[in-house]
Every structure is written in structure tokens, then in C-alpha cells.
Amino acid sequence: MSSDNPTNCLNMSWRRIVVKVGTSTLTAGGQRLDPPRMVDLVRQLHELRQRGAQVVLVTSGAQQAGREKLGFPETVKSIPFKQMLAAVGQGRLMHLWEQYFDLYGIVTAQVLLTRQDIEDRHRYLNLRDTFAGLLERDIVPVVNENDAVATEEIRVGENDSLSAMVANLIEADLLVLLSDIDGLYTANPRVDADATLIPRVEAIDGSVLLFARGNGTAMGSGGMHTKLVAADMAVHAGTSVVIANGGRENILLDIAAQRAVCTLFPAPISATEGRKRWLLAQKQVAGQVEIDRGAAEALLSKGRSLLPVGIVRAQGKFERGAIVAVIDELGQTIARGLANYASQDLLRVLGQRSENIAELLGYDYGPEFIHRDNLVLL
Ligand code: GLU
């Protein structure tokens, strides 16, 4: 490989990778889902897992699978029609993925999302827990938009953005957007012979967005512009992004081996740092909790989570998922984080040991009031 190898800065410590596959990749440019193409992607995902990475697959193709199943009905440009197609096709799409992952003994889980599921704080925390639970058990989450129920107001509309949201949610190190094009070009390579591939983009500014004009794919919902918007969202949250051609042999392995033809958008900060910044950028806190000296010590010098047992008092009315301030005995704000329990629940469990939560509330969302991953020290 040449020294200006496009992805030289790829970092082998990538441990959590979201791979988004567009419809045109899944159909290999045709009209039908292409099983060899899908199996081949699964083989590569398996290989990445063998090397220690956790992977999440965001897959399009439900609507196309629906079209295929229904014998390619005449296209109607309406949302109910698309919802109908997706409802027919999602089962088939998932069935195929499940079968192919099964060849490698990998268990999959279907996760269907809308914008609302990610933006609503309460659901957001539930989703984080769901992904954490799946990844802990070595299961591959297979994600798509829940098109059958996603009305205009609550839908994301395309999977580039959805995959960036998922990457953010699980603090992925890398998001790979697989399309039918090698990456970002200086112009549309399908019409402009002088177009050249840009191997690395440090910042997605106006001049970069200009490159994406008229640069889309025929079948999926996202063109290059939506990819850049998604990439921008991801890099700001600390996830590096690669746009690459899903039709190239061994593309995922080549990305990992730093020899892929692609465009890389390196994140200037880590995903953990991105999450901390996000927490700090939230202006409003919904309430505050005062903690005892032992808990303050555990937070500040041991990097622990905040448990109900260390909480002395709670103020404010807040929901699960709200941002709360953590105050020490002297009244100083020492941290900020996402509450795992609503204020009315916290009032019943504060000062109590975590193993009693389920009995006191009738359910539990885990032993922490604020998990250390959702906590930023000030
Ligand atoms: N969710 C859509 C589907 O599965 C695809 C959206 C997209 O193309 O980005 O058909």
C-alpha cells in the first residue's frame, strides 16, 4: 500500500463498531436481497468479533424485501405504502440475517427504533441497558428503523442518521457506513471523470458538504449529503466514521487492517469524552441529590457509580433519564449525571442497599442511581 494509504490513522484499539449497510449494498445493485453478499458481510463481522470487537449491524432493506415478497408492486409515493412494505419485508430481512449469523453460531437480536425512542430520555436509558445487555452476552444487535409504526413526526427517515444515533447511544469507537460508492469524492464520480476520492476529512464544513451535491444512490433513502450529516453527528460524539463501498471484497477486514479504499472522518475526541461533553452541555438540571462523604469519596477517587445507599437527600421532581446534580456534604456540586430512577422512586430507596430496590419498588433498573458511564465529575 502507498504511504498515503487512506486509512493509515485507523486505530486498532477500536472495540465497538457499528456497521450500517444500505439497501443498494444488500441487493448488490439488483432488485433482490443478495444472499451471498449478506453472508459475506456476516463472515467479515464474525472475523472482527474474533479479533475482539463488539459489532452492531444497522440494516436497511426492509422495504426492498417487502417489494420483493409482493412481486414488485407498482410504487406509490406515500408513507402508508412504505410502512406496509417495511412491515412485510422486515421479517424476511431479519430472518435472513438470523440464518446467516447462525452459520457462525452467532446469536442476533432485532432492535427496531424510531427517533422518539432515542430522544426520549426514559426510553434512551432503557435502550442503553438493552444494548449493554446484548453486547455483554456477545449477541449481535441487528437494528433498523421501525418503519411500520414510524410516522413522519417520529421517524428518522434514513439509516445513516439512525446508525449515528446508535453509535452515540452505545459509545461506539467506529461507525462504518457501507454504500455502493468508495467514499466521498470531489464531485459525483458517476458523471464527472475528474472526480477524486477524498481519503480523509478532518472537519465537515461547508466546502466538504459541497462535494456531496447530487451524489446519491438509486435505491436507499440516504445520499452522500445525509452520510455527511450523520458523520458530523458521530464525530462530534467521539465516534470515527468510515464511508466505504460494501461491494468491495473484504471491505470490513480491509478497514480494520488499515488498507481500505474509503473516506475516513477521524473523531477528535473519544466516545467517552463526547458523552461527558454532552452531559456538560445540558444547561438544565432537573433536580439534585446530596450524598454522604463515603459516596463522594467513591465517586471522586475510585471512579465508582452512585448508589442509593450513599444518597442523603433528593430535591426536585424528575423522571428516569433526567440530568441531576450531585452535591457533597458541603453543598458543592461535584458531579452531574443521568438518573436511573425517577425522584419519587429515589425517595423510597435512598439510604437503602441496592439489593433491596426490587422489593421496595416492585422492579429495578439496576443497582446504581447514576451509573459511572452516565456520570461526569466536575
Ligand atoms: N428503513 C428502511 C428499510 O429498511 C431503509 C432506510 C434507508 O434506506 O436508509 O427499508
Side-chain angles (χ1 to χ4, degrees), residues 9 14 39 60 62 68 75 98 131 189 193 203 206 233 246 286 330 357:
C9 66
W14 277 331
V39 173
S60 300
E68 185 180 334
T75 300
E98 195 170 21
F131 275 104
M233 186 196 318
L330 304 172
I357 294 177

Side-chain angles (χ1 to χ4, degrees), residues 307-308 352-360 364 367:
L307 306 179
Q352 305 279 345
R353 302 184 64 82
S354 294
E355 53 263 37
N356 300 332
I357 294 177
E359 200 186 313
L360 289 164
D364 88 274

Side-chain angles (χ1 to χ4, degrees), residues 259-270:
R259 55 167 182 253
V261 176
C262 61
T263 301
L264 170 71
F265 306 78
I269 49 169
S270 71

Side-chain angles (χ1 to χ4, degrees), residues 333-378:
T333 305
I334 57 168
R336 181 186 275 200
L338 296 184
N340 243 341
Y341 292 90
S343 51
Q344 81 239 33
D345 288 347
L346 177 62
L347 291 176
R348 290 160 66 190
V349 299
L350 61 77
Q352 305 279 345
R353 302 184 64 82
S354 294
E355 53 263 37
N356 300 332
I357 294 177
E359 200 186 313
L360 289 164
L361 299 180
Y363 57 85
D364 88 274
Y365 284 121
E368 309 87 6
F369 172 65
I370 303 177
H371 191 279
R372 64 167 187 269
D373 292 348
N374 295 328
L375 183 92
V376 50
L377 299 174
L378 301 173

Side-chain angles (χ1 to χ4, degrees), residues 42 156 289 303:
V42 171
V156 182
V289 294

Side-chain angles (χ1 to χ4, degrees), residues 20-24 26 59-65 67 82 85-86 90 93 143-147 155 157-162 217 219-222 226-227:
K20 181 259 170 181
V21 197
T23 304
S24 55
L26 290 179
T59 178
S60 300
Q63 293 173 31
Q64 196 60 23
R67 277 189 197 97
K82 287 189 181 167
L85 286 179
Q90 178 63 34
L93 179 67
V143 183
N144 194 1
E145 179 138 38
N146 195 354
D147 289 322
R155 75 194 200 118
E158 36 73 30
N159 281 355
D160 295 324
S161 304
L162 184 75
T217 75
M219 226 172 304
S221 312
T226 56
K227 285 188 176 45

